[in-house]
Amino acid sequence: MSMLTAVQPQLLSQINERSVLRLLQTNGPCSRAEMTRQIGATAPTVSKAVASLLRSGLLEEFDAAETGRGRPARRLRLATKTAQVLGLVIDAGTCRIVSACLDGRLHATSGITFRTPDSYDKLLSQVCDYAAALRERAGVRTLGMGICMPGLIDSRTQKGLLSPNLPLTDGHSPGIDLSERLGLQTVLVHECQGLCLAERHFGDAAETDNFVILDATVGLGLGAFSGGRMQVGSGGYAGEIGHIPVVPDGLECGCGRRGCLETMASDSVFSRLLSQRLNRPCAVEDIVEQARAGEIDISEELDSVIPYLSTAVTMAINLFNPERLYVCSKLFDLGDHVLARLIEQTEARALRPSFNDCRITRARGSKPEGAVAAIIEHLTMSRVHGNEQLT
Ligand SMILES: [Zn+2]
């Protein structure tokens, strides 16, 4: 009984803070008076929540004269000038680190892309160097860093367990290690979960509680939001559609098995096939450019990759019955015909009612946006659940 009375005021103020954050996230900047009206709380309650959020650095105050006319009133917004977050994408081949406002907008000039180092220690020290460079903005507090990476990540220990395309993270917890080295709150999510958050925050998935993202860039993975919740499974390993075997005695996969779907359908597979035929290394970005200019014929490789990509889309549609399915692939840069073919082949294979329920489009959110969305969600949600950290 006494515990209940002690907990309640704290819980209430956390809920009020969350209401303020949600209002600013959905409606943009507003004054305390507008907040009071919109939230339906009393003015002192709103002022108290705002004061606490201002102290935390998540909000900042600015003069309304900047944006509107009439009597200047102090308005509030998610911090854009006084605080920032960092987003890190660890991937096979290249990594990228960015900084962003608390509303999720990436700073225009901030991104640093670097080749993925060949050891975990080098990865940590390079990230620390680049993070230090991004934290040098005068008067700007850095509140945390979101990290996206591929592979199986144990959601209980935050440890990378098995990464077919990036084995150097196996057995390591980059979220915990970087948090210690940088003295920042961090949150580590699977890259497909990051893409779901990006689509929800920056794409058009905010409108739906049932959507799936298929990432067919480096490997082949899936992120799913079902009934408004991210589906991560019991240990956090859900979504590894790329490691379902589809070709008996097929090619060896990074996971150690053979004939996985991932060995047949992704941007990497597309470059591998073309590199083999032309007998020279072909990066997917270069291929797209040359194909658009009519310099190379890539129909053979498209004929090989699209049916398998359609298999993945069909699996996702039949399994999850999503309202929207977003696909990430640089192959769509070749023109609208690539997505059209993918949809046409999927229509011929998926269960009719499930296919009819689902709109298939190109993903709009990116992995850096996903990393940023993950840390913003962590920082704002941790104000509801107390300040416990995932890392
Ligand atoms: Zn595999």
Side-chain angles (χ1 to χ4, degrees), residues 113-356:
T113 300
F114 56 99
R115 185 174 283 280
T116 307
D118 56 12
S119 79
Y120 183 69
D121 285 338
K122 280 189 211 158
L123 173 70
L124 289 189
S125 58
Q126 283 203 19
V127 170
C128 288
D129 289 347
Y130 293 129
L134 293 179
R135 290 172 79 176
E136 269 172 6
R137 293 159 179 263
V140 178
R141 269 169 82 184
T142 302
L143 301 183
M145 179 162 77
I147 306 163
C148 282
M149 70 177 198
L152 302 188
I153 303 164
D154 189 324
S155 56
R156 295 153 294 204
T157 62
Q158 292 285 293
K159 193 174 275 187
L161 296 184
L162 171 67
S163 190
N165 298 311
L166 191 64
L168 66 85
T169 55
D170 290 357
H172 294 292
S173 311
I176 295 171
D177 295 337
L178 287 169
S179 176
E180 278 170 10
R181 291 209 189 183
L182 295 168
L184 280 179
Q185 285 200 52
T186 63
V187 62
L188 173 70
V189 296
H190 186 277
E191 58 185 9
C192 289
Q193 293 166 16
L195 284 168
C196 281
L197 295 175
E199 211 60 45
R200 206 152 166 84
H201 284 251
F202 311 115
D204 55 3
E207 304 298 318
T208 171
D209 282 340
N210 294 290
F211 68 94
V212 169
I213 291 192
L214 200 63
D215 176 22
T217 51
V218 179
L220 184 69
L222 174 150
F225 242 80
S226 193
R229 293 181 73 92
M230 186 101 73
Q231 303 301 307
V232 298
S234 103
Y237 320 147
E240 293 294 338
I241 195 170
H243 299 285
I244 294 175
V246 291
V247 183
D249 293 323
L251 292 171
E252 197 176 342
C253 179
C255 72
R257 310 280 194 214
R258 281 191 171 275
C260 291
L261 190 48
E262 179 170 295
T263 64
M264 306 306 289
S266 71
D267 292 356
S268 311
V269 170
F270 187 81
S271 351
R272 188 194 72 215
L273 292 173
L274 203 72
S275 303
Q276 282 166 355
R277 182 163 65 86
L278 302 181
N279 205 20
R280 62 178 166 92
C282 301
V284 69
E285 294 83 358
D286 303 335
I287 302 169
V288 166
E289 218 164 274
Q290 289 165 21
R292 285 181 73 99
E295 290 163 14
I296 47 169
D297 178 15
I298 51 162
S299 49
E300 197 180 306
E301 286 72 25
L302 280 180
D303 287 348
S304 171
V305 167
I306 291 179
Y308 283 105
L309 204 49
S310 161
T311 299
V313 174
T314 302
M315 285 178 181
I317 287 179
N318 287 359
L319 284 173
F320 290 98
N321 178 211
E323 192 181 332
R324 297 292 300 267
L325 188 141
Y326 303 91
V327 187
C328 304
S329 167
K330 294 201 176 87
L331 298 183
F332 297 135
D333 289 338
L334 290 164
D336 294 341
H337 63 282
V338 177
L339 182 63
R341 269 181 72 184
L342 179 64
I343 294 174
E344 191 186 296
Q345 294 193 13
T346 304
E347 184 174 13
R349 304 159 103 182
L351 292 171
R352 174 69 56 189
S354 312
F355 177 82
N356 288 345

